[in-house]
Amino acid sequence: MLLWLRGGTEAIPSLETRAAYIAEHALFWRAGWMIWMIAALSLVAFYAWWGGWISSSRAAITAFLIASLGLACDLFAEALFIGWLPTRIAVLSPLGTILSGGVANALYTVAGIILTIATSSLGGLLRIWAWTIWITGFALTTCAIIGNSAGLTVATAVLLGLLCPWVALFGWSIARDSRSVAALKRE
């Protein structure tokens, strides 16, 4: 986001400057959004994996379906960004921001909340960290919906800065716990 996409996003107030950046860096712009699409797919895959570790199938399936709806919104918005910008930037950029930063992010956040609530083994720092992520997710959604570009930029940076290490630590924690349970069952 910071390297290839920032110059064409709401972080830059001038539509003309953003359109020029996208036109001049079309390959990087498209590649950046393709990477963003892979990240969205990875998030939904992570939620599916996480759902496999909780006892409530209903919560796992609900969270996965909600996240999948978010993914559909994200992919649609990013396809607009890749295929239609910069020529229709004035109309499509705000629509894409609402779909991706607003709707998709809200749905990902709700799915994460459902999984967090359903994960009884999630405690201490990891639980506090998770709730901080979901609060930041709603802040990002709010900024996208009200058109607060500075807030959107800051919330995105904070959200990703919190989410990525949390996913790694939480995933490691679940894997470690599952190895311990498997070892106990063998004994």
Side-chain angles (χ1 to χ4, degrees), residues 33 84 94:
W33 284 115
W84 294 58

Side-chain angles (χ1 to χ4, degrees), residues 122-135:
L122 182 62
L125 178 61
L126 281 175
R127 182 169 288 277
I128 293 167
W129 193 344
W131 282 106
T132 305
I133 291 166
W134 311 139
I135 291 166

Side-chain angles (χ1 to χ4, degrees), residues 28-151:
F28 288 123
W29 176 258
R30 290 182 178 111
W33 284 115
M34 298 282 271
I35 292 167
W36 205 253
M37 290 170 135
I38 292 167
L41 287 164
S42 298
L43 178 63
V44 175
F46 171 73
Y47 281 178
W49 177 81
W50 182 1
W53 290 100
I54 64 175
S55 60
S56 172
S57 294
R58 179 175 286 159
I61 291 168
T62 300
F64 178 75
L65 290 174
I66 290 170
S68 295
L69 287 172
L71 178 63
C73 292
D74 232 355
L75 294 178
F76 181 75
E78 290 152 9
L80 290 175
F81 292 155
I82 289 170
W84 294 58
L85 297 186
T87 57
R88 295 179 177 95
I89 194 167
V91 173
L92 294 180
S93 185
L95 173 61
T97 298
I98 292 293
L99 286 172
S100 183
V103 178
N105 187 69
L107 292 168
Y108 295 149
T109 301
V110 169
I113 288 170
I114 291 168
L115 291 168
T116 299
I117 291 169
T119 306
S120 59
S121 64
L122 182 62
L125 178 61
L126 281 175
R127 182 169 288 277
I128 293 167
W129 193 344
W131 282 106
T132 305
I133 291 166
W134 311 139
I135 291 166
T136 306
F138 280 132
L140 191 156
T141 296
T142 302
C143 290
I145 290 169
I146 67 172
N148 181 334
S149 299

